[in-house]
Each structure stands twice: as C-alpha cells, then as structure tokens.
Amino acid sequence: AQSVAQPEDQVNVAEGNPLTVKCTYSVSGNPYLFWYVQYPNRGLQFLLKYITGDNLVKGSYGFEAEFNKSQTSFHLKKPSALVSDSALYFCAVRRPGAGSYQLTFGKGTKLSVIP
Amino acid sequence: ETGVTQTPRHLVMGMTNKKSLKCEQHLGHNAMYWYKQSAKKPLELMFVYSLEERVENNSVPSRFSPECPNSSHLFLHLHTLQPEDSALYLCASSQDLGAGGEKLFFGSGTQLSVL
C-alpha cells in the first residue's frame, strides 16, 4: 500500500518570505512523487514531479521540491512567496511500473500568503 | 485552461433523480479518470479508462456508472445518490497509463449537491 501525509492543514507565510509545504510518503520501491496546486473553483494543476536523478526538482511558478529518501520526504519550497501563490497544494505518490496507475494524494495543505 | 472541460459546473439533484456529468479532453490523450474530492479528505480515484476500456473500478457503488464512448469523452451517470455523495467530481486525462511518470491534466470539476 502507498500513502502520503501532509502534516499541516494550513500554512501562513508573509509575502516575500520563503515558504515550505511538507510532505512525507510511504511506498514500496522507488517512488514517483508529484505536487499539484488547486486554485479556488478550479481543478488541480501539475507543478512538478520527481522520477529519478537530481534530488532537487524545479517546477512551475518558481517552485521546487527536494526528495529525501532517508526521511521519505518531498517538501515543496519557494524562496519568495507571492500573494498569488495562495491556494491548496497536494502531494501525491505513485509506485512505478506498468499497471501502477494508482496515484495516491494527500489531504492537501492550504497556503495563505499574507500581503 | 488545461484542455479538459467538464459540464455542468454545478449540479443540484434529489436522491431519486438521474443525471450525468460530462468530461471532454482536447489533448489527444489516451487515458481518462474520474476522481471524487470531498472536504478535508484525499482525492479518491473512482474510475480509470485507457483507450476507452475501463481498467480500474475502485469499489465505487453501482449508483455511479461511467461511460467512455471514445478517447475524448467520459461520462459519469448518477442515479439514486445519497447526501454523502455531495462532492466535487474531477475529471482528468493523461497521455497514457504508462509506467507511472505521466502527469494528469484536470478539469475544473462539477460541484454536486445531493438533497
């Protein structure tokens, strides 16, 4: 079985400050890890993914995430938050291999960037 | 826009009604998905179609009936729903099911309220 934990329901950060949204995972084998963002009244949008290689993954809108195998974490980061980054962020994990199309999502973390 | 269109955006129905949700993707993708999003819960995968063939049915009650007439269209037929079925229903597509690294493209969802 695979699972994702996003320990914070909400993260508040001041505009211009760095932000971190936490995610830990559990899966057998090497994971495929994803971050998606959901703006109000919209579907989820892909931000970035880790498949293999460099542990630091860069994605859309200046976001990046660091894969840490020993801590089974994949935290989302941005050096300088914008008010427009306020949204709901979902971490997801998938076990690699044909037939493993079950993408397991976390409950989401609401990010509020305060002007 | 992500290239995945869902209609209607909002739907209110009684427990004895029959209604359908529609999803259309303009991306030339081969795989389509239905997800259920309830407040403060992880996204739940309901159904997966690949090349118009259902490949996953995640123990979804029979009051939900999917249909995929071609690779661009996906329907979710609803009948005799329960109030606990009220949620945001999201459609998504991906290029293929593949080996797990594909990103999903989501529609904006249908907000369903069952009275």
Side-chain angles (χ1 to χ4, degrees):
Chain A
Q2 56 196 41
S3 64
V4 172
Q6 294 183 243
E8 302 155 318
D9 289 339
Q10 178 148 356
V11 170
N12 297 321
V13 64
E15 185 177 22
N17 282 5
L19 69 86
T20 299
V21 182
K22 296 179 180 178
C23 171
T24 59
Y25 66 90
S26 174
V27 69
S28 59
N30 295 318
Y32 290 166
L33 294 159
F34 302 79
W35 277 102
Y36 284 82
V37 60
Q38 185 177 32
Y39 297 101
N41 302 314
R42 302 294 300 274
L44 280 69
Q45 296 179 31
F46 171 82
L47 272 182
L48 51 80
K49 66 179 179 181
Y50 171 82
I51 303 298
T52 187
D54 194 347
N55 289 345
L56 185 63
V57 179
K58 294 188 183 297
S60 306
Y61 312 121
F63 284 93
E64 59 188 27
E66 186 168 11
F67 172 61
N68 188 318
K69 188 173 184 178
S70 63
Q71 296 184 5
T72 62
S73 67
F74 189 56
H75 300 329
L76 182 70
K77 300 181 179 183
K78 186 173 182 179
S80 178
L82 301 173
V83 173
S84 57
D85 293 329
S86 299
L88 193 56
Y89 290 81
F90 292 92
C91 182
V93 67
R94 185 167 170 171
R95 181 175 54 84
S100 62
Y101 35 75
Q102 177 74 41
L103 186 63
T104 299
F105 286 86
K107 292 182 179 181
T109 298
K110 182 178 179 181
L111 173 67
S112 294
V113 181
I114 303 163
Chain B
E1 294 299 323
T2 63
V4 180
T5 304
Q6 290 187 244
T7 55
R9 291 296 302 273
H10 302 274
L11 179 62
V12 179
M13 58 187 290
M15 288 190 286
T16 58
N17 291 158
K18 292 185 179 180
K19 297 285 184 183
S20 296
L21 310 185
K22 179 182 176 182
C23 176
E24 183 175 1
Q25 57 98 358
H26 314 278
L27 302 168
H29 289 171
N30 294 318
M32 297 187 77
Y33 311 74
W34 279 116
Y35 279 88
K36 177 183 179 183
Q37 184 178 20
S38 304
K40 298 186 179 180
K41 293 179 66 176
L43 269 73
E44 302 172 47
L45 178 63
M46 300 176 72
F47 301 104
V48 181
Y49 277 83
S50 176
L51 297 172
E52 303 144 46
E53 180 180 341
R54 191 192 309 181
V55 296
E56 180 78 11
N57 176 355
N58 260 4
S59 301
V60 179
S62 59
R63 57 185 182 268
F64 295 91
S65 176
E67 178 189 4
C68 188
N70 55 63
S71 60
S72 298
H73 293 86
L74 185 65
F75 294 89
L76 188 63
H77 303 300
L78 316 172
H79 64 97
T80 59
L81 293 191
Q82 304 299 310
E84 61 264 28
D85 296 322
S86 299
L88 181 67
Y89 289 84
L90 292 167
C91 173
S93 70
S94 63
Q95 184 62 58
D96 294 288
L97 289 182
E102 295 73 24
K103 65 182 184 182
L104 299 180
F105 293 77
F106 285 85
S108 296
T110 294
Q111 185 66 54
L112 175 66
S113 297
V114 181
L115 305 179

